[in-house]
Amino acid sequence: MTTYSPALDDQRSQRLREAVRGEIIHPGDPDYDEARRVYNAVHDRRPAIIVRAADAGDIRATVDFARDQELPLAVRGGSHGVPGHGTCDDGVVLDLGAMRGVRVEPQRRTARAEGGCTWADVNHATHAFGLATTGGIVSTTGIGGLTTGGGMGHLSRRCGLACDNVVSADVVTADGSFVTCTEDQHADLLWAVRGGSGNFGVVASFEYRLHPVADILGGPTFYPLDADVLRAYRELIADSPEEFNPVLVIGLGPPLPFLPERWHGRPLCGVITCFSGPEDEDDRVVARLGRLGPVLGQHVGRMPYPVINTLFDELLPAGLFHYWKGCFSTGLPDGAIDAYVEYGVDTPSIESATVVFPIDGACHRVGPEDTAFAYRDADFSTALSLTLPTCAELEAHIGWVRAFAAALDSYSAGGGYVNFMDTDDQHRVRANYRQNHDRLVALKRRYDRGNLFRLNHNIAP
């Protein structure tokens, strides 16, 4: 076990304990092993101290402590980040998981959500008013990492990315300042938060723009893994209203009652439907799904919007081993479709998948320099997700992901979505931010010249 760091045994450490209302956990404490765990079991780190912040004051005190003690600082929201940036060895983990308050203002159609919220928290609070905003496809994902990286989900085509819906943000910067960022004050920092990841500070709360979305038509439809089906999906996106947001998934057939047993564990593809348009158009949407190819199984119906965000939750609990890659593309070229089929048949587990998010529609109505998220000309974002129950199995199949990513490289836009990058993707940071990278570097120098917030896909000052 890591010993208690002498750097913490001083007067300043005592002042931290006195300044923080939340819980402070050290190695040797009864709940230390549970507190240090993150979603991706690959990252078995042993921090010197874990601070479970209760409020923005705790965030400020912890940031000041880590900076002054020159200790690594990991900021954790939902802990879903595949590269394990929410933890560290022999440093400080600032855990926002206790800060999960959401306040909805239905007349203004906004919600203020604390930085430790998950999308389940936000969706539950906003659905009570018949409102929603874009937020991932797994309800246990934290809002902080997803939003600051850009934020794709089931409402992207209609409502834009999660970062496009950020109206304001309360941010604790590297010098311990508490800054409220809006279009009228600290607009440069708000710009950076909208897609620049965790490089510029700790977001204590986000204010989101909400949209009138209550019930939706949703659920999966499964087809054989065939290039003709994927080409039909490409045409479906090009000729569908923005309220229709079908996400393509390629993997192995899950053991679901509406999918024939002979397809369980076999390669196939699926479309996860989210149609937020009028109910009287549901039959037309289902009919269009039926024309993509032979339907192997389908479970599509009206449901509250928060439900669509939970469909992967049971399949992907915390504690599995993950390795990811990702890319953007303009359209879905035939060569990319061929690669989806070639590598999709070798998907190594039920939990592993290739997920293709459509990001046209409302995402294209934001300029490439209006937010830090630069890929406004991309139509699709592909996530290559390798997920297995043991580290040994993960290592045995990492070559599959890397070869798959290399095969897609010729058909991709060069960089990728920062939230789909793994630990070995630091060299892609400039490409991920394209023309916005130099501006982000300048802002990093202004707000974090000492690079305190470096446990991320780092924009170095």
Side-chain angles (χ1 to χ4, degrees):
M1 177 177 289
T2 300
T3 57
Y4 187 67
S5 171
L8 304 182
D9 292 323
D10 59 10
Q11 190 175 15
R12 194 177 298 278
S13 180
Q14 178 61 34
R15 286 202 297 268
L16 175 66
R17 286 189 284 271
E18 293 170 353
V20 168
R21 292 181 60 225
E23 187 179 6
I24 295 180
I25 301 168
H26 299 290
D29 288 347
D31 52 353
Y32 174 74
D33 282 336
E34 179 62 30
R36 70 186 179 87
R37 288 195 182 97
V38 291
Y39 181 79
N40 185 359
V42 167
H43 306 291
D44 185 23
R45 309 270 171 75
R46 305 191 71 85
I49 186 170
I50 301 166
V51 180
R52 288 175 167 164
D55 52 30
D58 286 2
I59 296 174
R60 296 183 69 188
T62 306
V63 167
D64 286 343
F65 175 77
R67 183 195 62 244
D68 293 347
Q69 293 291 285
E70 299 182 349
L71 291 169
L73 174 64
V75 182
R76 178 188 302 168
S79 92
H80 269 237
V82 169
H85 293 148
T87 188
C88 61
D89 284 320
D90 301 318
V92 180
V93 169
L94 172 55
D95 187 345
L96 306 182
M99 296 179 58
R100 296 174 68 169
V102 183
R103 187 182 74 238
V104 180
E105 296 194 23
Q107 287 73 33
R108 294 182 59 227
R109 289 185 179 172
T110 62
R112 172 72 67 177
E114 290 186 306
C117 286
T118 66
W119 286 108
D121 299 324
V122 173
N123 292 337
H124 173 77
T126 59
H127 182 69
F129 300 93
L131 301 169
T133 196
T134 303
I137 62 171
V138 177
S139 76
T140 56
T141 304
I143 66 171
L146 187 133
T147 300
T148 57
M152 302 161 194
H154 290 298
L155 297 176
S156 299
R157 300 187 75 225
R158 173 178 172 177
C159 304
L161 304 176
C163 71
D164 299 336
N165 290 285
V166 173
V167 178
S168 69
D170 291 332
V171 181
V172 176
T173 57
D175 65 358
S177 299
F178 180 87
V179 178
T180 297
C181 310
T182 69
E183 295 286 0
D184 299 320
Q185 57 182 357
H186 304 287
D188 58 346
L189 187 53
L190 181 64
W191 178 88
V193 165
R194 291 169 168 164
S197 194
N199 279 281
F200 302 93
V202 183
V203 182
S205 70
F206 297 88
E207 183 185 14
Y208 292 101
R209 181 183 303 107
L210 304 178
H211 306 265
V213 177
D215 291 349
I216 55 98
L217 176 73
T221 306
F222 294 108
Y223 311 87
L225 178 53
D226 183 88
D228 287 340
V229 175
L230 303 187
R231 283 190 285 267
Y233 169 79
R234 177 178 63 191
E235 298 308 312
L236 176 71
I237 296 296
D239 189 34
S240 290
E242 293 173 4
E243 292 85 359
F244 189 20
N245 197 109
V247 174
L248 177 68
V249 179
I250 298 167
L252 304 182
L256 297 171
F258 57 88
L259 182 66
E261 189 172 350
R262 65 190 179 90
W263 284 98
H264 294 181
R266 292 179 58 187
L268 47 66
C269 63
V271 170
I272 310 301
T273 290
C274 179
F275 175 64
S276 57
E279 188 171 358
D280 60 12
E281 294 184 21
D282 286 2
D283 289 345
R284 186 171 65 86
V285 171
V286 173
R288 295 199 68 187
L289 291 168
R291 292 195 291 271
L292 293 184
V295 174
L296 306 177
Q298 185 177 59
H299 190 68
V300 174
R302 278 276 148 179
M303 62 180 68
Y305 169 72
V307 174
I308 193 70
N309 205 230
T310 68
L311 298 189
F312 291 98
D313 287 8
E314 187 174 344
L315 184 67
L316 297 171
L320 298 174
F321 293 76
H322 304 263
Y323 180 81
W324 285 20
K325 286 285 175 278
C327 62
F328 291 115
S329 63
T330 302
L332 284 182
D334 287 342
I337 286 175
D338 291 342
Y340 289 147
V341 175
E342 177 184 355
Y343 288 90
V345 297
D346 293 326
T347 302
S349 68
I350 294 287
E351 297 84 4
S352 300
T354 302
V355 185
V356 182
F357 294 83
I359 51 170
D360 58 339
C363 303
H364 282 187
R365 290 196 290 275
V366 179
E369 298 178 7
D370 291 345
T371 67
F373 183 93
Y375 279 85
R376 297 298 178 168
D377 56 340
D379 300 308
F380 297 96
S381 178
T382 298
L384 308 178
S385 169
L386 176 65
T387 302
L388 288 155
T390 69
C391 192
E393 290 172 283
L394 188 83
E395 290 291 337
H397 292 284
I398 272 182
W400 172 75
V401 177
R402 291 173 174 164
F404 197 167
L408 290 175
D409 191 58
S410 298
Y411 312 102
S412 70
Y417 178 40
V418 65
N419 287 347
F420 295 160
M421 301 292 105
D422 217 305
T423 50
D424 53 358
D425 284 313
Q426 181 62 34
H427 66 284
R428 300 180 68 182
V429 168
R430 177 176 284 276
N432 293 344
Y433 291 110
R434 271 179 161 177
Q435 72 281 347
N436 293 331
H437 182 263
D438 289 346
R439 181 177 175 186
L440 287 165
V441 170
L443 289 171
K444 181 74 171 180
R445 288 178 185 145
R446 177 177 175 184
Y447 287 102
D448 186 17
R449 180 172 289 274
N451 207 13
L452 176 66
F453 301 111
R454 61 185 178 274
L455 298 186
N456 45 48
H457 284 105
N458 192 232
I459 298 169

